[in-house]
Amino acid sequence: MFDTFYQVMGYGYVPEWHGDVINMTDTYFREPGQALFVAALGDEVVGTAAVRAGGPKSPPNPHWLAERYDRPSTAQLCRTYVRSAHRRRGLARALVDLACGFVADSGRYDTVYLHTDPAIDGAEPFWRSLAKEIHDERGTGTDNAIIHFEIPLPPACQHAGI
């Protein structure tokens, strides 16, 4: 995940955004309704996806958007990354499917929210193939060039056999 912050996103570790990465055990393994999924090839982590309770915060996101998802039934899909050398093999879809299966099976959530930076290679078309756009911040006069999405539960997150 740190590789992604530094090499892909270019801004590095930001404590107020990335505290979950420093404290993964408490965030994802001790907190009911939250989870971290990892794809590994041998000892190398090649992809991740995580589920956290709650939606986006304002700031940096628009106030109306934070209010829309400010309810216990919102799950946020985050930390979905696949190392570039391992893309185009279905890993990201498999990780998202696992995460959405977890959300659906939890009985806690009725909405899956996520946001992405369209400047990341392949991110926008990937999410558009799975999710419904809620808000595109590009061209809105803010410094945020983020696209916000929802993944409906079900049928978009069918998780046969999971």
Side-chain angles (χ1 to χ4, degrees), residues 76-97:
Q76 185 170 171
L77 186 59
C78 55
R79 309 294 179 233
T80 305
Y81 311 116
V82 173
R83 286 184 183 261
S84 59
H86 301 280
R87 292 184 185 152
R88 302 295 216 193
R89 299 178 186 173
L91 283 176
R93 278 187 194 269
L95 287 163
V96 169
D97 194 48

Side-chain angles (χ1 to χ4, degrees), residues 49-129:
V51 174
R52 287 195 308 238
K57 305 295 181 226
S58 176
N61 300 292
H63 183 71
W64 68 266
L65 191 73
E67 281 186 337
R68 176 180 177 148
Y69 296 104
D70 186 22
R71 58 186 198 277
S73 61
T74 299
Q76 185 170 171
L77 186 59
C78 55
R79 309 294 179 233
T80 305
Y81 311 116
V82 173
R83 286 184 183 261
S84 59
H86 301 280
R87 292 184 185 152
R88 302 295 216 193
R89 299 178 186 173
L91 283 176
R93 278 187 194 269
L95 287 163
V96 169
D97 194 48
L98 283 168
C100 287
F102 172 84
V103 168
D105 290 344
S106 76
R108 295 172 176 260
Y109 306 113
D110 61 15
T111 304
V112 177
Y113 162 85
L114 67 103
H115 65 266
T116 194
D117 181 344
I120 297 171
D121 186 40
E124 183 177 357
F126 173 76
W127 290 116
R128 288 193 184 283
S129 74

Side-chain angles (χ1 to χ4, degrees), residues 4-14 17-18 79 81 117:
T4 303
F5 302 151
Y6 285 94
Q7 297 171 12
V8 176
M9 296 178 177
Y11 51 71
Y13 171 74
V14 179
W17 299 344
H18 304 132
R79 309 294 179 233
Y81 311 116
D117 181 344

Side-chain angles (χ1 to χ4, degrees), residues 61 113 115-118 135-138 143-148:
N61 300 292
Y113 162 85
H115 65 266
T116 194
D117 181 344
H135 179 60
D136 187 339
E137 291 192 53
R138 295 176 292 186
D143 291 336
N144 244 358
I146 300 299
I147 305 173
H148 304 268

Side-chain angles (χ1 to χ4, degrees), residues 24-77:
M24 285 190 253
T25 300
D26 286 345
T27 302
Y28 297 114
F29 305 120
R30 292 189 180 143
E31 192 66 39
Q34 301 191 149
L36 174 67
F37 301 91
V38 177
L41 182 61
D43 291 339
E44 180 187 11
V45 172
V46 298
T48 61
V51 174
R52 287 195 308 238
K57 305 295 181 226
S58 176
N61 300 292
H63 183 71
W64 68 266
L65 191 73
E67 281 186 337
R68 176 180 177 148
Y69 296 104
D70 186 22
R71 58 186 198 277
S73 61
T74 299
Q76 185 170 171
L77 186 59

